[in-house]
Amino acid sequence: MTTTFFGAIADDFTGATDLAAMLARAGVPVTLRIGLPEAAAATTATAFEVIALKIRTTPPEEAVAEARTACRWLRERGARRLFWKYCSTFDSTPRGNIGPVADALMSEMGLDRTVHCPAFPENGRRVFMGNLFVGDRPLHESPMKDHPLTPMRDANLERLLAPQVQRQTGLVPFPTVRQGAETVRDALERLSGHVVLDAVEDADLATLAEAIHDMPLVCGGSAIAQPLPALWRAAGAMGATDDSPLPEAGSGQIVLSGSCSAMTRAQVGRYLDHAVGYRLDPLELAEGGFGDARAWLRAQDPAARKIIYATAEPKAVAAVQEKLGVGRAGALVEDALAQLAQDARGLGIRRIVVAGGETSGAVTRALDVDRLRIGPEIAPGVPWCFAGDGLALALKSGNFGAETFFDDAFAMLDAGTAAPAA
Ligand code: ADP
């Protein structure tokens, strides 16, 4: 039986998927769990476990309690490297939850030092002299300054952490990072508490990964995780991973789209050139339910290319929202797509692509999926996920993927390229 080597606790679902995709890219088998896993030891664990919680903006006490439970679950299964995954824009308030959870995990693991590395240069998130930049702007001048739940009003990570944590903060600055892994290690030896790591380019992340790969707890964005598996393997730390093949995807296919983001609109338009489609209209849903959509779905060949979508232009969305309210319009569409996903499974359809972050959450819940094995990426950050029973899910948030994403996704399964990247 495989014991867990690496365990991550992510503060939201898409963050967890992002990290899981990064690790899968590094060629290790990864399981993503949605919500706190059952305490029952009967659940088998894999070498790389990522637990998706929803604790980014919950009260800190709740976030800490859930993270501690997840931490214990992972350590009981043997995890020797833990990762606290938060957003690369450091989404938090003066109360938390980045700091309180990091503090709690340190206490849980008996540590007096951890590192914080949110840098994700590929996505324009860079840390220089402790200050986080988004593109060419410091964090507090980026659009994150107006975030409805976690407005970021400072770019200095030590200052942001200080009110959130009980331990002291420190920094390994850029000039030290540029001197190489040995120098970073020496600098870390002299620091305790929460140490912020500068990184401007991927090469800096490689240096940092070399310096910190044997630390029991790393906190940060997903980018620092990608170089770690190769280092663990080289150091002989990792042991055997369970390279059992990914479950086979069953047959039958459908796209369900509840995203109105610009890229999804282009993807839906492109797909409709050669797929059959059914458009969900929230006003009709409000009046008459989605019986017609269900009947349409039943009449289709399970194997045919097809899409059910509520995707609409901003003007149409605004008009609907004005009539129904934002919340009700969203809920009507999400409920309909969730039920249609259940119908599709009942009709034998096993390959399901979902567009929309919230929509993906609604569909996964409706399908009662609590555990996903991560396959290779269709597009950066969007892997095929295997839920057992032949069910394969691709969960795409709004602006991800190329215009041909839906075809790309199914083509990958058809070609059998969704084999583990071992
Ligand atoms: P994204 O990842 O693009 O943000 P989400 O699924 O997270 O997509 O969010 C889109 C939201 O918009 C969902 O709540 C969905 O139900 C709602 N929605 C989808 N289509 C429409 C529409 N035509 N009118 C109003 N709301 C819609």
Side-chain angles (χ1 to χ4, degrees):
M1 193 191 113
T2 307
T3 50
T4 300
F5 171 74
F6 170 92
I9 301 165
D11 67 355
D12 83 340
F13 181 77
T14 42
T17 322
D18 176 16
L19 175 65
M22 281 286 178
L23 293 165
R25 204 190 271 185
V28 290
V30 187
T31 298
L32 171 65
R33 292 180 194 266
I34 301 158
L36 281 177
E38 296 282 314
T43 23
T44 53
T46 42
F48 284 71
E49 292 275 344
V50 178
I51 299 179
L53 299 178
K54 207 171 179 319
I55 56 172
R56 185 167 292 171
T57 53
T58 52
E61 310 72 51
E62 282 175 29
V64 161
E66 286 201 28
R68 275 185 187 270
T69 306
C71 173
R72 283 177 202 151
W73 189 91
L74 290 165
R75 296 183 82 209
E76 277 163 17
R77 273 146 195 84
R80 284 178 291 147
R81 300 283 188 279
L82 259 69
F83 197 99
W84 166 220
K85 160 71 177 72
Y86 47 75
C87 188
S88 57
T89 44
F90 214 75
D91 303 18
S92 56
T93 70
R95 293 192 68 208
N97 289 331
I98 292 176
V101 169
D103 257 341
L105 295 177
M106 289 171 78
S107 302
E108 197 65 37
M109 299 171 73
L111 303 173
D112 65 1
R113 182 191 310 124
T114 189
V115 288
H116 289 263
C117 184
F120 195 154
E122 193 185 340
N123 284 354
R125 283 77 192 258
R126 299 180 162 86
V127 183
F128 180 69
M129 305 314 280
N131 294 287
L132 177 58
F133 290 80
V134 178
D136 60 357
R137 308 260 127 188
L139 179 63
H140 63 289
E141 291 177 19
S142 78
M144 282 305 295
K145 72 182 191 307
D146 302 317
H147 190 280
L149 302 175
T150 50
M152 302 308 292
R153 300 284 159 77
D154 197 350
N156 185 281
L157 295 174
E158 280 192 84
R159 273 201 306 266
L160 285 166
L161 269 172
Q164 299 185 29
V165 294
Q166 284 164 5
R167 295 172 174 84
Q168 65 191 67
T169 65
L171 172 70
V172 177
F174 185 70
T176 306
V177 176
R178 282 293 160 102
Q179 283 175 48
E182 282 281 301
T183 315
V184 172
R185 269 179 190 272
D186 291 346
L188 278 169
E189 286 295 316
R190 293 190 293 274
L191 295 164
S192 68
H194 298 268
V195 183
V196 171
L197 304 177
D198 272 2
V200 170
E201 292 173 4
D202 281 345
D204 302 322
L205 291 181
T207 303
L208 291 173
E210 203 183 324
I212 63 163
H213 70 271
D214 53 1
M215 288 183 75
L217 175 66
V218 171
C219 309
S222 59
I224 185 66
Q226 198 192 332
L228 292 174
L231 291 160
W232 292 325
R233 217 178 244 141
M238 203 155 83
T241 55
D242 168 16
D243 285 330
S244 61
L246 289 167
E248 289 269 316
S251 59
Q253 57 174 300
I254 192 164
V255 176
L256 300 170
S257 176
S259 158
C260 299
S261 298
M263 182 45 86
T264 306
R265 298 203 306 273
Q267 289 160 341
V268 170
R270 182 86 171 240
Y271 199 54
L272 283 169
D273 286 344
H274 54 274
V276 290
Y278 185 97
R279 191 175 69 83
L280 292 173
D281 176 347
L283 296 176
E284 286 171 15
L285 292 176
E287 272 171 30
F290 50 97
D292 288 352
R294 299 180 90 170
W296 181 86
L297 177 56
R298 268 200 307 277
Q300 305 307 310
D301 172 0
R305 290 194 187 103
K306 62 189 138 330
I307 174 168
I308 300 180
Y309 61 102
T311 306
E313 295 297 315
K315 255 192 188 163
V317 174
V320 162
Q321 288 175 334
E322 191 162 319
K323 287 208 176 97
L324 298 174
V326 176
R328 175 132 191 268
L332 280 165
V333 170
E334 284 172 37
D335 290 350
L337 288 172
Q339 180 63 57
L340 288 160
Q342 279 184 10
D343 287 7
R345 184 164 63 180
L347 293 165
I349 293 172
R350 292 289 180 272
R351 302 174 177 201
I352 304 181
V353 174
V354 187
E358 291 299 322
T359 310
S360 294
V363 167
T364 352
R365 271 194 303 279
L367 293 175
D368 211 12
V369 170
D370 61 1
R371 181 181 176 192
L372 292 165
R373 175 86 184 270
I374 304 297
E377 285 170 299
I378 305 155
V382 199
W384 269 112
C385 304
F386 297 86
D389 193 21
L391 185 63
L393 292 172
L395 308 167
K396 183 199 87 78
S397 63
N399 283 320
F400 282 49
E403 264 189 36
T404 51
F405 179 82
F406 302 139
D407 282 316
D408 297 347
F410 295 123
M412 198 166 192
L413 291 184
D414 288 340
T417 42

